[in-house]
Amino acid sequence: MRVAEGFAKRGWMPPTTTPHFVDLYVGARLRGRRRSLGLSQAHVAKAAGVTFPQLQKYERGANRISASKLYALAAVLRCGVAWFFEGLPDTAPDASAASAPGNGWGGMVHPLLMHPEGLALVRAFQPLPPNCKAQVLALVRALVDEGS
């Protein structure tokens, strides 16, 4: 008998759903905060009392973070627990709307901040004066148009 069949006979099956949008959002905030502080996953995991693989799962949104672990992570990352939820939409984003260009955290911001280059770009962009930001944006759009 296969394992899944044994679970089914007992009336329980392992979950096969995708992560909840809140878990994805909190995980992305966790990863972004850790990276912005220049901390390694190993350091944060040890300081918060979780394993390295567990922290990776938290950051991907694959596992939910318990209240006590979120509290510990907030202490390590020097922020409040509420910080992880700032900017969270009131309702689940529509999958098609979230992936539309220029729309919300789900389709554009999350993937950008998951790459070291994206985070570096955001850090470098923030202190620029408004006229320089407009020029950088025009350059990026021109590069995108040239590539397509």
Side-chain angles (χ1 to χ4, degrees):
M1 175 186 320
R2 293 186 343 204
V3 174
E5 292 170 354
F7 284 135
K9 286 185 177 184
R10 291 184 199 90
W12 182 86
M13 286 296 295
T16 57
T17 59
T18 58
H20 192 274
F21 81 98
V22 174
D23 299 322
L24 292 171
Y25 186 83
V26 171
R29 297 278 290 177
L30 169 63
R31 185 173 187 162
R33 178 71 177 173
R34 177 186 59 77
R35 283 182 161 182
S36 71
L37 294 174
L39 301 174
S40 69
Q41 286 180 321
H43 172 80
V44 172
K46 184 175 182 179
V50 299
T51 64
F52 176 79
Q54 185 62 43
L55 183 68
Q56 289 179 314
K57 291 176 183 178
Y58 288 159
E59 288 188 357
R60 285 194 324 265
N63 283 9
R64 292 183 174 161
I65 307 173
S66 70
S68 59
K69 291 302 176 193
L70 191 60
Y71 185 81
L73 288 163
V76 172
L77 299 174
R78 300 185 303 271
C79 64
V81 172
W83 181 87
F84 291 102
F85 300 94
E86 288 176 6
L88 183 66
D90 292 335
T91 58
D94 179 29
S96 61
S99 61
N103 197 350
W105 62 271
M108 305 300 276
V109 176
H110 183 264
L112 175 69
L113 296 178
M114 291 298 103
H115 294 283
E117 296 87 2
L119 186 59
L121 182 64
V122 169
R123 283 184 181 151
F125 189 79
Q126 287 176 330
L128 292 174
N131 63 331
C132 289
K133 287 181 180 180
Q135 291 174 343
V136 169
L137 184 58
L139 172 64
V140 171
R141 285 181 175 152
L143 290 170
V144 168
D145 290 342
E146 186 177 296
S148 26

